[in-house]
Amino acid sequence: MRHGRAALAISFFAQGALFALLVTRIPAIQDRYGISDGLLPVFLAAVPILAGLGSVATEYVVKRIRPSAVLRWVQPVVALVLLLLGAGDQLWMAAVTLALFGVCVGGLDASMNMLGVSLQHTYGRSIMLGFHASYSLGGIVGACLAWSGAHWHISLVALYGPVVAVLIPLTLVASRWYADQEQPSVTEVGGEKQAVVMRLLMPLCLVMAFAYIGDSTVSNWSAKYLQDTLHSSEQLSTVPYAVYMVTTLIGRSVGDFGVRRYGAAPVVRLGTVLAMAGFAVVAVAPGAWVGMLGFTLLGLGLCVIVPQTFAAAGRMFPGASDSAIARLNIFNYVGFLVGSPLVGALGDVWSYRGAMLVPMVLVGATLLYAKSFEAGPAGYGVGHERPSTVDVG
């Protein structure tokens, strides 16, 4: 299991790096393909929509093929598609590669989290935040590489090529140790075959969407907010997202210890309160440095919600966790799709300070659903992590 855990952490790291290399170089991709400002939002919106479809398809694929096999082959495809995106120069090539990237990322995200939840079930203690910490670390590395590419005017294909050449062999070798775990028998979940009931899963789906609305607000609007509203310099406006990513890494690195000691629900409640405080500080900040403090709180707060939402879905439907996670993962993309245009529209018709209060309220709704993070198998009351008598990690 130690090998399986390390291998999956490598997969999360690689995905974080690849995704960061895409989203941080959107302006360069737009220039390369001559995508107009009016057409760019259509391209960007298509990616999460198709990722949602990829997640839906993965629910059915894993009924015949193990999640580890899906992850083993879809991750190199994502890397190759990114390289093709950097190498093309025709608009139709951008459309095709971004569509393939979206579909494959949906399957990649779903299968990664399926394996993470099943490993956590076997360990009997919280390890999901650690996997997402690896994703955050990959995102930081990818963003730094993207900054270097922009600073030194490196072409997209020259930037993406070496990264893909390293990550594909790395993930293929690591995939030898992916650890699929059998889902619990029917006797463990009440003696009957379990199916995912969307009515019961929906609170977690809403939490997932709200968390990604908050996350997309930071990734898409932090730089503009600091520069246009808080009147920072152009250089300083690039710092909040980097600070957000670093605090996300720190929070996820230590979050599993908090879950093991206090339980998932208290950690999620604390994270929600910190995130709400972060949005509030950003909204009322008199200057750039106070705004940076707000984005720091946001990173520390939001970082725990998504991993624990996946883990809670696995506990709620232990006999059908793969299906529950595939469906829950769709709301990742719903939040990402809604968050950026929501804040932008509110900022244009109202004010960007006021717009920051809307994701604050939405993320705060997580407090209403905190009991869902305590639930055991659907219909069987509160569940808890079983104590580990041996440290297998």
Side-chain angles (χ1 to χ4, degrees):
M1 284 194 298
R2 286 194 296 270
H3 291 159
R5 185 176 176 183
L8 189 57
I10 290 172
S11 178
F12 271 86
F13 172 87
Q15 171 58 357
L18 291 171
F19 191 74
L21 283 166
L22 172 67
V23 298
T24 57
R25 299 299 287 142
I26 290 296
I29 293 169
Q30 182 182 11
D31 291 341
R32 181 175 183 84
Y33 287 95
I35 303 172
S36 67
D37 289 340
L39 191 57
L40 182 63
V42 177
F43 276 75
L44 297 182
V47 174
I49 291 172
L50 291 169
L53 294 176
S55 188
V56 171
T58 303
E59 177 183 353
Y60 296 96
V61 171
V62 296
K63 293 177 180 179
R64 296 179 176 272
I65 303 173
R66 289 179 176 272
S68 62
V70 175
L71 179 57
R72 176 177 296 118
W73 298 114
V74 79
Q75 191 152 46
V77 172
V78 168
L80 286 173
V81 168
L82 183 66
L83 180 59
L84 289 174
L85 179 64
D89 57 6
Q90 300 293 319
L91 193 61
W92 68 267
M93 296 181 69
V96 170
T97 50
L98 284 172
L100 283 173
F101 189 91
V103 172
C104 293
V105 159
L108 176 55
D109 287 344
S111 57
M112 278 197 315
N113 284 288
M114 289 173 186
L115 286 176
V117 167
S118 66
L119 269 174
Q120 177 165 289
H121 175 82
T122 303
Y123 267 75
R125 57 191 175 90
S126 180
I127 59 173
M128 277 296 288
L129 280 156
F131 293 132
H132 285 259
S134 296
Y135 180 93
S136 295
L137 180 60
I140 293 169
V141 171
C144 290
L145 290 172
W147 179 89
S148 299
H151 181 73
W152 298 106
H153 305 289
I154 300 172
S155 69
L156 289 173
V157 69
L159 173 65
Y160 292 161
V163 175
V164 169
V166 170
L167 290 183
I168 287 181
L170 179 65
T171 54
L172 283 174
V173 170
S175 70
R176 294 179 56 195
W177 289 280
Y178 289 158
D180 283 294
Q181 307 298 319
E182 294 294 334
Q183 296 202 349
S185 65
V186 294
T187 57
E188 293 182 65
V189 292
E192 57 188 22
K193 187 174 182 179
Q194 193 178 37
V196 177
V197 180
M198 283 304 297
R199 176 178 58 82
L200 299 177
L201 186 64
M202 188 53 66
L204 294 177
C205 294
L206 292 175
V207 168
M208 179 70 75
F210 296 156
Y212 270 98
I213 287 174
D215 180 82
S216 66
T217 298
V218 179
S219 59
N220 288 290
W221 293 104
S222 59
K224 179 177 176 61
Y225 185 84
L226 226 70
Q227 189 169 352
D228 294 354
T229 303
L230 302 183
H231 310 294
S232 75
S233 65
E234 183 178 357
Q235 291 80 7
L236 187 61
S237 70
T238 65
V239 175
Y241 185 68
V243 171
Y244 173 78
M245 290 298 296
V246 170
T247 53
T248 295
L249 172 63
I250 294 171
R252 288 173 171 172
S253 297
V254 302
D256 280 323
F257 298 103
V259 174
R260 293 170 198 165
R261 184 175 180 86
Y262 302 107
V267 169
V268 169
R269 287 189 183 101
L270 176 60
T272 302
V273 171
L274 283 174
M276 292 177 69
F279 275 118
V281 170
V282 168
V284 302
W289 290 103
V290 177
M292 297 253 290
L293 172 62
F295 287 115
T296 300
L297 291 173
L298 273 170
L300 291 173
L302 286 176
C303 70
V304 301
I305 298 176
V306 170
Q308 285 307 306
T309 306
F310 280 119
R315 287 194 298 272
M316 186 179 290
F317 299 100
S321 65
D322 288 348
S323 293
I325 289 162
R327 297 185 193 185
L328 179 64
N329 189 53
I330 297 169
F331 289 82
N332 160 354
Y333 310 116
V334 171
F336 191 84
L337 187 63
V338 170
S340 180
L342 175 65
V343 171
L346 289 171
D348 289 340
V349 302
W350 183 18
S351 73
Y352 281 96
R353 287 187 184 273
M356 291 294 165
L357 299 177
V358 175
M360 180 191 78
V361 172
L362 292 175
V363 171
T366 300
L367 296 173
L368 301 176
Y369 304 123
K371 286 190 175 181
S372 296
F373 292 86
E374 300 173 339
Y380 298 98
V382 175
H384 303 280
E385 294 178 348
R386 61 179 174 81
S388 292
T389 55
V390 178
D391 184 3
V392 294

